[in-house]
Amino acid sequence: MAQQRRMGGQPMFILSEDSQRTQGRDAQSSNIMAGKAVAESVRTTLGPRGMDKMLVDSGGDVVITNDGATILNKMDIEHPAAQMIVEVADSQEEEVGDGTTTAAVIAGNLLGEAEDLIEQDVHATTIVEGYHEAAEIALDAIAEAINEADVDDEILSQVAESSMTGKGTGGLTAKSLAETVVEAIHHVETDDGVARDNVTVHTQIGASSNATELVPGIVVDEEPAHEAMPAEVEDASLAILDVELGVRTGDVDAEYAIDSIDQLNAAIDAEEGELQGYAETIVDSGADVVFTTDDVDDRVATALANEGVLVFENLGDSDARQVASATGARRVGALEDLEDEDFGSADRIHTETYGDDDLAFVEGGAAAETVTVFVRGGTEHVVDELERAIEDALDVVATALESGEVVPGAGATEIAIADKIRQEAAGIEGRKQLAVTSFADAIDVVPRTLAANTGQDPIDALVDLRAANESEGRAGLITSGDEVTIDDPFEHGVVDPADVKREAIESATEAATMIVRIDDVIAAE
Ligand code: ADP
Ligand code: MG
């Protein structure tokens, strides 16, 4: 529908004929509906009893997950307002690594509450102001909920376990995985904080998740260039080459006219000599292990194998970078440039075969800052979901260690937030008060959803939780094994980093208020 304005009697077209325009209430409610629908779609995955989703893409690839950000990103969402909820989950993932479902669910409910307010003739700007004020109160409530005890390894391990519950990790496994995660984060702790990027996760199908372990170094998908090479080298001195160890082909195709046997033999000798030269240069340099991003001729590989040198060929660029940063080696572009300073070192380099896969472990390198969580699991879907769970757990443990601030999980912090907002709302005048209280109602959806997902009546649970929060000060809906009880989450080790809660409130408020303020949608064809 083209928009028309009249100017001096002449119709003036300011939009192309094909553009779509929705205005006023229609625009608001269509945006709100889309945003709500997206948030609603992840609701059932929240918490320890949250269900998983199976997502099948157009190519038939299947992902089974409980992770909010992953689900929303795989859903191929087109509506621009709905897309903003996906962004809430994305920014949550990026900033703190966990709490993506929580953030999306809160954002959706802030929109739902806004819809009711609009129907009661509360103006969008009043809603926006009220939401921002309520968010400030929420941040104060989070600050008050922070655990006074020092965040020690036990608490860090609880943070890890709380973030992994419901993600395909059960019972004993969860505990040992949590400890592995804490150990990994401690390993990359520096004076300037946690170098989270130095922890990588490598998945390998084939054993149960119990076999997951911490490798003090890196793991790359590589096999030795020759089967006679050693499977293990200790105190390795290693070089990384971006060099082809084969007969130089040159830039132009050269053709040699060979007209005698002598000439042919001479050519072959020259080639052999060149290859032998490579092997000798490497052996003379003192390298025990060579990683190269290019091909290695079989004859060079054989010669090096005879000398006990371990060679990996056709290394990917990111693997080469990883090996370089783990061992302190410098990549070299020409063999003749290889100097002592270019060498890296590692305590131990060994290769292992898992089913069809060959892996190289580079442990205790000179620049041994990196550690790898080597994740095992029975099938591809299992290891993939475990990887996502462990990545989240690594993020939350890093966050909790850096800030030293954790709050009770299991809905207890949300109950305290909603409670504080309602108390302070009493002092806020006019219609804005309605918006502030609505914010509290939207926060209630977290404990309500946790209850619903454990098969409880959400209203009863909410009433009980509020009462327990009032009388005992800290109350969450604890899921442990088959039991669901209302108790102090700290007593049960259900803890989340304060930053996860803060970020969820902030990003959800931002997206919801942005959507509410829109009253005109102009879409080009
Ligand atoms: P998100 O994507 O928001 O992190 P999760 O599915 O990971 O969603 O659920 C997180 C919620 O589950 C948090 O509120 C956390 O406190 C809660 N939680 C974790 N473990 C337990 C438990 N044992 N009992 C009750 N709630 C728990
Ligand atoms: Mg989580």
Side-chain angles (χ1 to χ4, degrees), residues 66-67 97-102 162-165 167 392:
N66 179 282
D67 185 68
D98 194 17
T100 54
T101 314
T102 304
S162 298
S163 94
M164 287 189 288
T165 36
K167 303 243 171 348
D392 281 6

Side-chain angles (χ1 to χ4, degrees), residues 30 53 91 104 155 193 199 244 293 302 307 331 341 368 381 398 408 411 454 497 502:
S30 114
K53 284 199 191 290
S91 80
I155 292 182
V199 184
E244 181 182 354
T293 53
T302 309
E307 296 291 334
R331 290 167 71 169
E341 306 91 83
H381 293 306
T454 56
R502 288 193 189 104

Side-chain angles (χ1 to χ4, degrees), residues 182-195:
V182 174
E183 201 186 327
I185 291 298
H186 274 314
H187 194 97
V188 298
E189 200 181 346
T190 69
D191 292 341
D192 308 324
V194 176

